[in-house]
Amino acid sequence: LLMRSCYNAVDALDFVPMDRFQVKMWKARQAAQEPYLLQLRPLQPRIGDLRDPLYFDFISWAQMQAVAQLIPAADLAFDEFCEQCEGRVRRVARP
């Protein structure tokens, strides 16, 4: 619920295209995963299992890391992927 709430808040605030947010989060997770696993040894989080507190802490950190990097570079207007839209793109503009 926490992960989804953060994702929905980022989407509702319209400061970054969600596809860019997803890529940023994936790259943050990818870059930090191996060092995180080495730091936890001998513990082994179940990667991909949000019920595992060790993995949940890590993936939550990756999500917040992406948000923290994207907020200072927030866009006032951008094009965002939209599956239902004509041309599969919609223009998003904040007041």
Side-chain angles (χ1 to χ4, degrees):
L1 186 59
L2 180 63
M3 298 281 306
R4 176 55 58 190
S5 295
C6 179
Y7 183 91
N8 289 341
V10 170
D11 193 19
L13 290 171
D14 284 334
F15 66 89
V16 63
M18 292 312 290
D19 54 336
R20 188 183 325 158
F21 171 69
Q22 291 169 5
V23 167
K24 189 74 158 173
M25 184 178 157
W26 186 87
K27 286 182 177 181
R29 181 190 57 79
Q30 190 70 15
Q33 185 169 301
E34 188 174 340
Y36 179 72
L37 294 175
L38 289 173
Q39 182 180 2
L40 286 179
R41 279 192 178 156
L43 300 174
Q44 294 185 345
R46 295 181 307 275
I47 301 301
D49 185 354
L50 293 176
R51 296 170 299 173
D52 180 347
L54 295 173
Y55 181 71
F56 184 81
D57 285 350
F58 171 68
I59 200 68
S60 296
W61 170 86
Q63 188 178 51
M64 291 299 122
Q65 178 74 9
V67 171
Q69 289 176 359
L70 290 167
I71 284 177
D75 296 324
L76 291 177
F78 53 85
D79 292 330
E80 181 173 66
F81 173 76
C82 175
E83 193 169 313
Q84 301 85 6
C85 300
E86 186 177 329
R88 299 177 77 94
V89 173
R90 73 179 177 111
R91 186 76 177 157
V92 176
R94 291 186 295 136

Coordinates of all heavy atoms in Angstrom, one line a residue:
L1 N 0.8 -1.2 0.0 CA 0.0 0.0 0.0 C 0.9 1.3 0.0 O 0.6 2.2 -0.7 CB -0.9 0.0 1.2 CG -2.0 1.1 1.3 CD1 -2.9 1.1 0.1 CD2 -2.8 0.9 2.5
L2 N 2.0 1.2 0.8 CA 2.8 2.4 0.8 C 3.5 2.7 -0.5 O 3.5 3.8 -1.0 CB 3.9 2.2 1.9 CG 4.9 3.3 2.1 CD1 4.2 4.6 2.5 CD2 6.0 2.9 3.1
M3 N 3.9 1.6 -1.2 CA 4.6 1.8 -2.5 C 3.6 2.4 -3.5 O 3.9 3.3 -4.2 CB 5.1 0.4 -3.0 CG 6.2 -0.2 -2.2 SD 7.8 0.5 -2.4 CE 8.1 0.4 -4.1
R4 N 2.4 1.8 -3.5 CA 1.4 2.3 -4.4 C 0.9 3.7 -4.1 O 0.7 4.5 -5.0 CB 0.1 1.3 -4.4 CG -1.0 1.7 -5.2 CD -0.7 1.9 -6.7 NE -0.2 0.8 -7.3 CZ 0.3 0.8 -8.6 NH1 0.3 1.9 -9.3 NH2 0.8 -0.3 -9.1
S5 N 0.8 4.0 -2.8 CA 0.4 5.4 -2.5 C 1.5 6.4 -2.9 O 1.1 7.5 -3.4 CB 0.3 5.5 -0.9 OG -0.8 4.7 -0.5
C6 N 2.8 6.1 -2.8 CA 3.8 7.0 -3.2 C 3.7 7.1 -4.8 O 3.8 8.3 -5.3 CB 5.2 6.5 -2.8 SG 6.5 7.5 -3.4
Y7 N 3.6 6.0 -5.5 CA 3.5 6.1 -6.9 C 2.3 6.9 -7.4 O 2.4 7.8 -8.2 CB 3.3 4.7 -7.5 CG 3.3 4.6 -9.0 CD1 4.5 4.4 -9.7 CD2 2.1 4.6 -9.7 CE1 4.5 4.3 -11.1 CE2 2.1 4.6 -11.0 CZ 3.2 4.4 -11.7 OH 3.2 4.3 -13.1
N8 N 1.2 6.8 -6.7 CA 0.0 7.5 -7.1 C 0.2 9.0 -6.8 O -0.3 9.9 -7.5 CB -1.3 7.0 -6.3 CG -1.7 5.7 -6.9 OD1 -1.4 5.3 -8.0 ND2 -2.5 4.9 -6.1
A9 N 0.9 9.3 -5.7 CA 1.1 10.7 -5.3 C 2.0 11.4 -6.4 O 1.8 12.5 -6.8 CB 1.8 10.8 -3.9
V10 N 3.1 10.7 -6.8 CA 3.9 11.2 -7.9 C 3.1 11.4 -9.1 O 3.3 12.5 -9.8 CB 5.1 10.2 -8.1 CG1 5.9 10.6 -9.4 CG2 6.1 10.2 -6.9
D11 N 2.3 10.5 -9.5 CA 1.4 10.6 -10.7 C 0.5 11.8 -10.5 O 0.3 12.6 -11.4 CB 0.7 9.4 -10.9 CG 0.0 9.3 -12.3 OD1 0.4 10.1 -13.2 OD2 -0.9 8.5 -12.5
A12 N -0.1 12.0 -9.4 CA -1.1 13.1 -9.2 C -0.4 14.4 -9.2 O -1.0 15.4 -9.6 CB -1.8 12.8 -7.8
L13 N 0.8 14.5 -8.7 CA 1.5 15.8 -8.6 C 1.9 16.3 -10.0 O 2.3 17.5 -10.2 CB 2.7 15.7 -7.7 CG 2.3 15.6 -6.2 CD1 3.5 15.3 -5.4 CD2 1.6 16.9 -5.7
D14 N 2.0 15.4 -11.0 CA 2.3 15.8 -12.4 C 3.6 16.6 -12.5 O 3.6 17.7 -13.1 CB 1.1 16.5 -13.0 CG 0.0 15.6 -13.4 OD1 0.3 14.4 -13.7 OD2 -1.1 16.1 -13.5
F15 N 4.7 16.1 -11.9 CA 5.9 16.9 -12.1 C 6.9 16.1 -12.9 O 8.0 16.6 -13.2 CB 6.6 17.2 -10.7 CG 7.0 16.0 -9.9 CD1 8.3 15.5 -10.0 CD2 6.2 15.4 -9.0 CE1 8.7 14.4 -9.3 CE2 6.6 14.4 -8.2 CZ 7.9 13.9 -8.4
V16 N 6.6 14.9 -13.4 CA 7.4 14.1 -14.2 C 6.6 13.1 -15.0 O 5.6 12.6 -14.4 CB 8.5 13.4 -13.3 CG1 7.9 12.4 -12.4 CG2 9.5 12.7 -14.2
P17 N 6.9 12.8 -16.2 CA 6.2 11.7 -16.9 C 6.4 10.4 -16.1 O 7.6 10.1 -15.7 CB 6.9 11.7 -18.3 CG 7.6 12.9 -18.4 CD 7.9 13.4 -17.1
M18 N 5.4 9.6 -16.0 CA 5.5 8.4 -15.2 C 6.5 7.4 -15.8 O 7.1 6.6 -15.1 CB 4.1 7.8 -15.0 CG 3.2 8.6 -14.1 SD 4.1 9.2 -12.5 CE 4.2 7.7 -11.6
D19 N 6.6 7.4 -17.1 CA 7.6 6.4 -17.7 C 9.0 6.8 -17.3 O 9.8 6.0 -17.0 CB 7.4 6.3 -19.2 CG 7.5 7.7 -20.0 OD1 7.2 8.7 -19.3 OD2 7.8 7.6 -21.2
R20 N 9.3 8.1 -17.2 CA 10.6 8.6 -16.8 C 10.8 8.2 -15.3 O 11.9 7.8 -14.9 CB 10.8 10.1 -17.0 CG 12.2 10.5 -16.7 CD 12.5 12.0 -16.8 NE 11.7 12.7 -17.8 CZ 11.5 14.0 -17.8 NH1 11.9 14.8 -16.7 NH2 10.8 14.6 -18.7
F21 N 9.8 8.4 -14.5 CA 9.9 8.0 -13.1 C 10.2 6.5 -12.9 O 11.0 6.1 -12.1 CB 8.6 8.4 -12.3 CG 8.5 7.8 -10.9 CD1 9.3 8.3 -10.0 CD2 7.6 6.8 -10.6 CE1 9.3 7.8 -8.7 CE2 7.5 6.3 -9.3 CZ 8.4 6.8 -8.3
Q22 N 9.5 5.7 -13.7 CA 9.7 4.3 -13.6 C 11.1 3.9 -14.0 O 11.7 3.0 -13.3 CB 8.7 3.5 -14.5 CG 7.3 3.6 -13.9 CD 6.2 3.1 -14.9 OE1 6.5 2.6 -16.0 NE2 5.0 3.3 -14.5
V23 N 11.6 4.5 -15.0 CA 13.0 4.2 -15.5 C 14.0 4.7 -14.4 O 14.9 3.9 -14.1 CB 13.3 4.9 -16.8 CG1 14.8 4.9 -17.1 CG2 12.5 4.3 -17.9
K24 N 13.8 5.9 -13.8 CA 14.7 6.4 -12.8 C 14.7 5.4 -11.6 O 15.7 5.2 -11.0 CB 14.2 7.8 -12.4 CG 15.2 8.5 -11.5 CD 16.3 9.0 -12.3 CE 17.0 10.1 -11.6 NZ 18.3 10.4 -12.3
M25 N 13.5 5.0 -11.2 CA 13.4 4.1 -10.0 C 14.1 2.7 -10.4 O 14.8 2.2 -9.5 CB 12.0 3.8 -9.7 CG 11.8 3.0 -8.4 SD 10.1 2.8 -8.0 CE 10.2 1.3 -7.0
W26 N 13.9 2.2 -11.5 CA 14.5 0.9 -11.9 C 16.1 1.1 -11.9 O 16.8 0.2 -11.4 CB 14.1 0.5 -13.3 CG 14.6 -0.8 -13.7 CD1 14.0 -2.0 -13.4 CD2 15.8 -1.1 -14.4 NE1 14.8 -3.1 -13.9 CE2 15.9 -2.5 -14.5 CE3 16.8 -0.3 -15.0 CZ2 16.9 -3.1 -15.2 CZ3 17.8 -0.9 -15.6 CH2 17.9 -2.3 -15.7
K27 N 16.6 2.2 -12.4 CA 18.0 2.4 -12.4 C 18.6 2.6 -11.0 O 19.7 2.1 -10.7 CB 18.4 3.6 -13.3 CG 18.2 3.3 -14.8 CD 18.6 4.5 -15.6 CE 18.5 4.2 -17.1 NZ 18.9 5.3 -18.0
A28 N 17.8 3.3 -10.2 CA 18.3 3.4 -8.8 C 18.4 2.1 -8.1 O 19.3 1.7 -7.4 CB 17.4 4.3 -8.0
R29 N 17.3 1.3 -8.3 CA 17.3 -0.1 -7.7 C 18.4 -0.9 -8.3 O 19.1 -1.6 -7.5 CB 16.0 -0.8 -8.0 CG 15.9 -2.2 -7.4 CD 14.6 -2.9 -7.8 NE 14.5 -3.1 -9.3 CZ 15.2 -4.0 -10.0 NH1 16.1 -4.8 -9.4 NH2 15.1 -4.1 -11.3
Q30 N 18.6 -0.9 -9.6 CA 19.6 -1.7 -10.2 C 21.0 -1.4 -9.7 O 21.8 -2.2 -9.5 CB 19.5 -1.5 -11.8 CG 20.4 -2.5 -12.6 CD 19.8 -3.9 -12.5 OE1 18.7 -4.2 -12.1 NE2 20.7 -4.8 -12.9
A31 N 21.3 -0.1 -9.6 CA 22.6 0.4 -9.2 C 22.9 0.0 -7.8 O 24.1 -0.2 -7.4 CB 22.8 1.9 -9.4
A32 N 21.9 0.0 -6.9 CA 22.2 -0.2 -5.5 C 21.9 -1.6 -5.0 O 22.3 -1.9 -3.9 CB 21.2 0.8 -4.7
Q33 N 21.4 -2.4 -5.8 CA 21.0 -3.8 -5.3 C 22.2 -4.6 -4.9 O 22.2 -5.2 -3.8 CB 20.2 -4.5 -6.4 CG 19.6 -5.9 -5.9 CD 18.6 -6.4 -6.9 OE1 17.6 -5.8 -7.2 NE2 18.9 -7.6 -7.4
E34 N 23.2 -4.7 -5.7 CA 24.3 -5.6 -5.3 C 25.0 -5.1 -4.1 O 25.3 -5.8 -3.2 CB 25.3 -5.7 -6.5 CG 26.4 -6.7 -6.2 CD 27.3 -7.0 -7.4 OE1 26.9 -6.7 -8.5 OE2 28.4 -7.4 -7.2
P35 N 25.3 -3.7 -4.0 CA 26.0 -3.3 -2.7 C 25.1 -3.5 -1.5 O 25.6 -3.8 -0.4 CB 26.2 -1.8 -3.0 CG 26.2 -1.6 -4.5 CD 25.3 -2.7 -5.0
Y36 N 23.8 -3.4 -1.7 CA 22.8 -3.6 -0.6 C 22.9 -5.1 -0.1 O 23.0 -5.4 1.1 CB 21.4 -3.2 -1.0 CG 20.4 -3.5 0.0 CD1 20.3 -2.7 1.2 CD2 19.4 -4.5 -0.1 CE1 19.3 -2.9 2.1 CE2 18.4 -4.7 0.9 CZ 18.4 -3.9 2.0 OH 17.4 -4.1 2.9
L37 N 22.9 -6.0 -1.1 CA 22.9 -7.4 -0.8 C 24.3 -7.8 -0.1 O 24.3 -8.6 0.9 CB 22.7 -8.3 -2.0 CG 21.4 -8.2 -2.7 CD1 21.3 -8.9 -4.0 CD2 20.3 -8.6 -1.7
L38 N 25.3 -7.2 -0.5 CA 26.6 -7.4 0.1 C 26.7 -6.9 1.5 O 27.2 -7.6 2.4 CB 27.8 -6.8 -0.7 CG 28.1 -7.4 -2.1 CD1 29.1 -6.6 -2.8 CD2 28.6 -8.8 -1.9
Q39 N 26.1 -5.8 1.8 CA 26.0 -5.2 3.1 C 25.2 -6.0 4.1 O 25.5 -6.1 5.3 CB 25.4 -3.8 3.0 CG 25.4 -3.0 4.3 CD 24.8 -1.6 4.1 OE1 24.4 -1.2 3.0 NE2 24.7 -0.9 5.2
L40 N 24.2 -6.7 3.6 CA 23.3 -7.5 4.4 C 23.8 -8.9 4.8 O 23.3 -9.5 5.6 CB 21.9 -7.6 3.8 CG 21.1 -6.4 3.8 CD1 19.8 -6.7 3.1 CD2 20.8 -5.9 5.2
R41 N 24.9 -9.3 4.1 CA 25.3 -10.7 4.3 C 25.5 -11.0 5.8 O 26.1 -10.1 6.4 CB 26.6 -10.9 3.5 CG 26.4 -11.3 2.1 CD 27.6 -11.8 1.5 NE 27.4 -12.1 0.1 CZ 28.3 -12.1 -0.9 NH1 29.5 -11.9 -0.6 NH2 27.9 -12.4 -2.1
P42 N 25.1 -12.1 6.3 CA 24.7 -13.3 5.6 C 23.2 -13.3 5.4 O 22.7 -14.3 4.8 CB 25.0 -14.4 6.7 CG 24.9 -13.7 8.0 CD 25.3 -12.2 7.7
L43 N 22.4 -12.2 5.7 CA 21.0 -12.2 5.4 C 20.8 -12.1 3.9 O 21.6 -11.5 3.2 CB 20.4 -11.0 6.1 CG 20.5 -10.9 7.6 CD1 19.9 -9.6 8.1 CD2 19.8 -12.1 8.3
Q44 N 19.7 -12.7 3.4 CA 19.4 -12.7 2.0 C 18.0 -12.3 1.8 O 17.1 -13.2 1.9 CB 19.7 -14.1 1.4 CG 21.1 -14.5 1.4 CD 21.4 -15.8 0.7 OE1 20.5 -16.5 0.4 NE2 22.6 -16.0 0.4
P45 N 17.7 -11.1 1.4 CA 16.4 -10.7 1.1 C 15.8 -11.4 -0.1 O 16.6 -11.8 -1.0 CB 16.4 -9.2 0.9 CG 17.9 -8.8 0.8 CD 18.7 -10.0 1.3
R46 N 14.5 -11.6 -0.1 CA 13.9 -12.3 -1.2 C 13.5 -11.2 -2.2 O 12.5 -10.5 -2.1 CB 12.6 -13.0 -0.7 CG 13.0 -14.2 0.2 CD 11.7 -15.0 0.6 NE 10.7 -14.2 1.2 CZ 10.6 -13.8 2.5 NH1 11.6 -14.2 3.3 NH2 9.6 -13.1 3.0
I47 N 14.4 -11.1 -3.2 CA 14.2 -10.0 -4.2 C 12.9 -10.2 -4.9 O 12.5 -11.3 -5.4 CB 15.4 -10.0 -5.2 CG1 16.7 -9.8 -4.6 CG2 15.2 -9.0 -6.3 CD1 16.8 -8.6 -3.8
G48 N 12.1 -9.1 -5.0 CA 10.8 -9.1 -5.6 C 9.6 -9.4 -4.7 O 8.5 -9.2 -5.0
D49 N 9.9 -9.8 -3.4 CA 8.9 -10.2 -2.5 C 8.7 -9.0 -1.5 O 9.5 -8.8 -0.6 CB 9.3 -11.4 -1.7 CG 8.2 -11.9 -0.8 OD1 7.2 -11.2 -0.6 OD2 8.4 -13.0 -0.2
L50 N 7.6 -8.2 -1.7 CA 7.4 -7.0 -0.9 C 7.0 -7.4 0.5 O 7.0 -6.6 1.4 CB 6.3 -6.2 -1.5 CG 6.7 -5.5 -2.8 CD1 5.5 -4.7 -3.4 CD2 7.9 -4.6 -2.6
R51 N 6.7 -8.7 0.8 CA 6.4 -9.1 2.1 C 7.7 -9.3 3.0 O 7.6 -9.3 4.2 CB 5.6 -10.4 2.1 CG 4.3 -10.3 1.4 CD 3.6 -11.6 1.2 NE 4.5 -12.4 0.3 CZ 4.4 -13.7 0.0 NH1 3.4 -14.4 0.5 NH2 5.2 -14.3 -0.8
D52 N 8.8 -9.3 2.3 CA 10.1 -9.5 3.0 C 10.5 -8.1 3.5 O 10.8 -7.2 2.6 CB 11.1 -10.1 2.1 CG 12.5 -10.2 2.7 OD1 12.7 -9.7 3.8 OD2 13.3 -10.9 2.1
P53 N 10.6 -7.8 4.8 CA 11.0 -6.5 5.3 C 12.3 -6.0 4.7 O 12.4 -4.8 4.4 CB 11.0 -6.6 6.8 CG 10.3 -7.9 7.1 CD 10.4 -8.7 5.9
L54 N 13.3 -6.8 4.5 CA 14.5 -6.4 4.0 C 14.4 -5.9 2.5 O 15.0 -4.9 2.2 CB 15.6 -7.5 4.0 CG 16.0 -8.0 5.4 CD1 16.9 -9.2 5.3 CD2 16.7 -6.9 6.2
Y55 N 13.6 -6.6 1.7 CA 13.4 -6.2 0.4 C 12.5 -4.9 0.3 O 12.8 -4.0 -0.4 CB 12.8 -7.3 -0.5 CG 12.6 -6.8 -1.9 CD1 13.7 -6.6 -2.8 CD2 11.4 -6.5 -2.4 CE1 13.6 -6.1 -4.1 CE2 11.2 -6.1 -3.7 CZ 12.3 -5.9 -4.5 OH 12.2 -5.4 -5.8
F56 N 11.5 -4.9 1.1 CA 10.6 -3.8 1.2 C 11.3 -2.5 1.5 O 11.1 -1.4 0.9 CB 9.4 -4.0 2.1 CG 8.4 -2.9 2.1 CD1 7.5 -2.9 1.1 CD2 8.4 -1.9 3.0 CE1 6.5 -1.8 1.0 CE2 7.5 -0.8 2.9 CZ 6.6 -0.8 1.9
D57 N 12.2 -2.6 2.5 CA 13.0 -1.4 2.9 C 13.8 -0.9 1.7 O 13.9 0.3 1.4 CB 13.9 -1.7 4.1 CG 13.2 -1.8 5.4 OD1 12.0 -1.4 5.4 OD2 13.8 -2.2 6.4
F58 N 14.4 -1.8 1.0 CA 15.3 -1.5 -0.1 C 14.5 -0.9 -1.3 O 14.9 0.2 -1.8 CB 16.1 -2.8 -0.6 CG 16.8 -2.5 -1.9 CD1 17.9 -1.7 -1.9 CD2 16.4 -3.1 -3.1 CE1 18.6 -1.5 -3.1 CE2 17.0 -2.9 -4.2 CZ 18.2 -2.1 -4.3
I59 N 13.4 -1.5 -1.7 CA 12.6 -1.0 -2.8 C 12.0 0.3 -2.5 O 11.8 1.2 -3.3 CB 11.7 -2.1 -3.3 CG1 11.2 -1.8 -4.8 CG2 10.5 -2.2 -2.5 CD1 12.3 -1.9 -5.8
S60 N 11.6 0.5 -1.2 CA 11.0 1.8 -0.8 C 12.1 2.9 -0.9 O 11.8 4.0 -1.3 CB 10.5 1.7 0.7 OG 9.5 0.8 0.8
W61 N 13.3 2.5 -0.5 CA 14.4 3.5 -0.6 C 14.6 3.9 -2.1 O 14.8 5.0 -2.4 CB 15.7 2.9 0.0 CG 16.9 3.8 -0.4 CD1 17.3 4.8 0.3 CD2 17.7 3.6 -1.5 NE1 18.4 5.4 -0.3 CE2 18.7 4.7 -1.4 CE3 17.8 2.7 -2.6 CZ2 19.7 4.9 -2.4 CZ3 18.8 2.9 -3.5 CH2 19.7 4.0 -3.4
A62 N 14.6 2.9 -3.0 CA 14.8 3.1 -4.4 C 13.8 4.1 -4.9 O 14.1 5.0 -5.7 CB 14.9 1.8 -5.2
Q63 N 12.5 3.9 -4.5 CA 11.4 4.7 -4.9 C 11.6 6.2 -4.4 O 11.5 7.1 -5.2 CB 10.1 4.2 -4.4 CG 8.9 4.9 -5.0 CD 7.6 4.3 -4.5 OE1 7.4 4.1 -3.3 NE2 6.7 3.9 -5.5
M64 N 12.0 6.3 -3.2 CA 12.2 7.7 -2.6 C 13.4 8.3 -3.2 O 13.5 9.5 -3.4 CB 12.4 7.6 -1.1 CG 11.1 7.2 -0.3 SD 9.8 8.4 -0.6 CE 8.6 7.4 -1.3
Q65 N 14.5 7.5 -3.5 CA 15.7 8.1 -4.2 C 15.3 8.7 -5.6 O 15.7 9.7 -5.9 CB 16.7 6.9 -4.4 CG 18.0 7.3 -5.1 CD 18.9 8.2 -4.2 OE1 18.6 8.4 -3.0 NE2 19.9 8.7 -4.8
A66 N 14.5 7.9 -6.3 CA 14.0 8.4 -7.6 C 13.2 9.7 -7.5 O 13.4 10.7 -8.2 CB 13.2 7.4 -8.3
V67 N 12.3 9.8 -6.5 CA 11.5 11.0 -6.3 C 12.4 12.1 -5.9 O 12.3 13.2 -6.4 CB 10.4 10.7 -5.2 CG1 9.7 12.0 -4.8 CG2 9.4 9.7 -5.6
A68 N 13.3 11.9 -5.0 CA 14.2 13.0 -4.5 C 15.1 13.5 -5.7 O 15.4 14.7 -5.7 CB 15.1 12.4 -3.4
Q69 N 15.5 12.7 -6.6 CA 16.3 13.2 -7.7 C 15.4 13.9 -8.8 O 15.9 14.8 -9.4 CB 17.0 12.0 -8.4 CG 18.1 11.5 -7.6 CD 18.7 10.3 -8.2 OE1 18.4 9.8 -9.3 NE2 19.7 9.7 -7.5
L70 N 14.1 13.5 -8.9 CA 13.3 14.1 -9.9 C 12.6 15.4 -9.5 O 12.3 16.3 -10.4 CB 12.3 13.1 -10.4 CG 12.8 11.9 -11.2 CD1 11.8 10.8 -11.3 CD2 13.3 12.4 -12.5
I71 N 12.3 15.6 -8.2 CA 11.6 16.8 -7.8 C 12.3 18.1 -8.1 O 11.7 19.0 -8.7 CB 11.3 16.7 -6.3 CG1 10.1 15.8 -6.1 CG2 10.9 18.1 -5.7 CD1 9.7 15.5 -4.6
P72 N 13.7 18.2 -7.9 CA 14.3 19.4 -8.2 C 14.3 19.8 -9.7 O 14.4 21.0 -10.1 CB 15.8 19.2 -7.7 CG 15.7 18.1 -6.7 CD 14.5 17.3 -7.2
A73 N 14.2 18.8 -10.5 CA 14.1 19.0 -12.0 C 12.7 18.9 -12.5 O 12.5 18.6 -13.7 CB 15.0 18.0 -12.7
A74 N 11.7 19.2 -11.7 CA 10.3 19.1 -12.1 C 10.0 19.9 -13.3 O 10.4 21.0 -13.5 CB 9.4 19.5 -10.9
D75 N 9.2 19.3 -14.2 CA 8.7 19.9 -15.4 C 7.4 20.6 -15.2 O 6.5 20.0 -14.5 CB 8.6 18.9 -16.5 CG 9.9 18.3 -17.0 OD1 10.9 19.0 -16.9 OD2 9.9 17.1 -17.3
L76 N 7.1 21.7 -15.7 CA 5.8 22.4 -15.7 C 4.9 21.8 -16.7 O 3.7 21.8 -16.6 CB 5.9 23.9 -15.8 CG 6.6 24.6 -14.7 CD1 6.7 26.1 -15.0 CD2 5.8 24.4 -13.4
A77 N 5.5 21.3 -17.8 CA 4.7 20.7 -18.9 C 5.5 19.6 -19.5 O 6.7 19.7 -19.7 CB 4.3 21.7 -19.9
F78 N 4.9 18.5 -19.9 CA 5.6 17.4 -20.6 C 4.6 16.5 -21.3 O 3.4 16.6 -21.0 CB 6.4 16.6 -19.6 CG 5.6 16.1 -18.4 CD1 4.8 14.9 -18.4 CD2 5.5 16.8 -17.2 CE1 4.1 14.5 -17.4 CE2 4.8 16.4 -16.1 CZ 4.1 15.2 -16.2
D79 N 5.1 15.7 -22.2 CA 4.3 14.7 -22.9 C 4.5 13.4 -22.1 O 5.6 13.0 -21.7 CB 4.7 14.5 -24.3 CG 4.4 15.8 -25.2 OD1 3.4 16.4 -24.8 OD2 5.1 16.0 -26.1
E80 N 3.3 12.7 -21.9 CA 3.4 11.5 -21.2 C 2.6 10.4 -22.0 O 1.6 10.6 -22.6 CB 2.6 11.7 -19.8 CG 2.6 10.5 -18.9 CD 2.1 10.8 -17.6 OE1 0.9 11.2 -17.5 OE2 2.8 10.8 -16.6
F81 N 3.2 9.1 -21.9 CA 2.5 8.0 -22.5 C 1.1 7.8 -22.0 O 0.9 7.9 -20.8 CB 3.3 6.7 -22.3 CG 2.7 5.5 -22.8 CD1 2.7 5.2 -24.2 CD2 2.0 4.6 -22.0 CE1 2.0 4.1 -24.6 CE2 1.4 3.5 -22.4 CZ 1.4 3.2 -23.8
C82 N 0.2 7.6 -22.9 CA -1.2 7.4 -22.6 C -1.8 6.3 -23.5 O -2.0 6.6 -24.7 CB -2.0 8.7 -22.6 SG -3.8 8.5 -22.3
E83 N -2.0 5.1 -23.0 CA -2.5 4.0 -23.9 C -3.8 4.3 -24.5 O -4.0 4.0 -25.7 CB -2.5 2.8 -23.0 CG -2.7 1.5 -23.9 CD -2.5 0.3 -23.1 OE1 -1.5 0.2 -22.3 OE2 -3.3 -0.6 -23.2
Q84 N -4.7 5.0 -23.8 CA -6.0 5.3 -24.4 C -6.1 6.5 -25.3 O -7.1 6.8 -25.9 CB -7.1 5.5 -23.2 CG -7.2 4.3 -22.3 CD -6.1 4.3 -21.2 OE1 -5.4 5.2 -21.0 NE2 -6.1 3.2 -20.4
C85 N -5.1 7.3 -25.3 CA -5.1 8.6 -26.0 C -4.7 8.4 -27.5 O -4.0 7.6 -27.8 CB -4.1 9.6 -25.4 SG -4.4 10.0 -23.6
E86 N -5.3 9.3 -28.2 CA -4.9 9.4 -29.7 C -3.4 9.7 -29.8 O -2.9 10.6 -29.2 CB -5.7 10.4 -30.4 CG -5.5 10.4 -31.9 CD -6.4 11.5 -32.6 OE1 -7.5 11.7 -32.1 OE2 -6.0 12.0 -33.6
G87 N -2.7 8.9 -30.6 CA -1.3 9.0 -30.7 C -0.5 8.5 -29.5 O 0.7 8.6 -29.4
R88 N -1.2 7.9 -28.5 CA -0.7 7.3 -27.3 C 0.2 8.3 -26.5 O 1.0 7.9 -25.7 CB 0.1 6.1 -27.7 CG -0.8 5.0 -28.4 CD 0.0 3.8 -28.8 NE 0.3 2.9 -27.7 CZ -0.4 1.9 -27.4 NH1 -1.5 1.6 -28.0 NH2 0.0 1.1 -26.4
V89 N -0.1 9.6 -26.6 CA 0.6 10.6 -25.8 C -0.4 11.6 -25.4 O -1.4 12.0 -26.1 CB 1.7 11.3 -26.7 CG1 2.3 12.4 -25.9 CG2 2.8 10.3 -27.0
R90 N -0.3 12.1 -24.2 CA -1.1 13.2 -23.7 C -0.2 14.3 -23.2 O 0.9 14.0 -22.6 CB -2.1 12.8 -22.6 CG -1.5 12.5 -21.3 CD -2.6 12.1 -20.3 NE -2.0 11.7 -19.0 CZ -2.1 12.4 -17.9 NH1 -2.9 13.4 -17.9 NH2 -1.5 12.0 -16.8
R91 N -0.6 15.5 -23.3 CA 0.2 16.7 -22.8 C -0.3 16.9 -21.4 O -1.5 17.1 -21.1 CB -0.1 17.9 -23.7 CG 0.7 19.1 -23.3 CD 2.1 18.9 -23.8 NE 2.9 20.1 -23.5 CZ 4.2 20.1 -23.5 NH1 4.9 18.9 -23.7 NH2 4.9 21.1 -23.2
V92 N 0.7 17.1 -20.5 CA 0.4 17.3 -19.1 C 1.0 18.7 -18.7 O 2.2 18.9 -19.0 CB 1.0 16.3 -18.1 CG1 0.8 16.6 -16.7 CG2 0.4 14.9 -18.4
A93 N 0.2 19.6 -18.2 CA 0.7 20.9 -17.8 C 0.2 21.3 -16.4 O -1.0 21.1 -16.1 CB 0.3 21.9 -18.8
R94 N 1.1 21.7 -15.6 CA 0.7 22.2 -14.2 C 0.5 23.7 -14.3 O 1.1 24.4 -15.1 CB 1.8 21.9 -13.2 CG 2.0 20.4 -12.9 CD 3.0 20.1 -11.8 NE 4.3 20.6 -12.2 CZ 5.1 21.2 -11.4 NH1 4.8 21.5 -10.2 NH2 6.4 21.5 -11.8
P95 N -0.4 24.2 -13.5 CA -0.7 25.6 -13.4 C 0.5 26.4 -12.9 O 1.4 25.9 -12.2 CB -1.9 25.8 -12.5 CG -2.1 24.5 -11.9 CD -1.3 23.5 -12.6

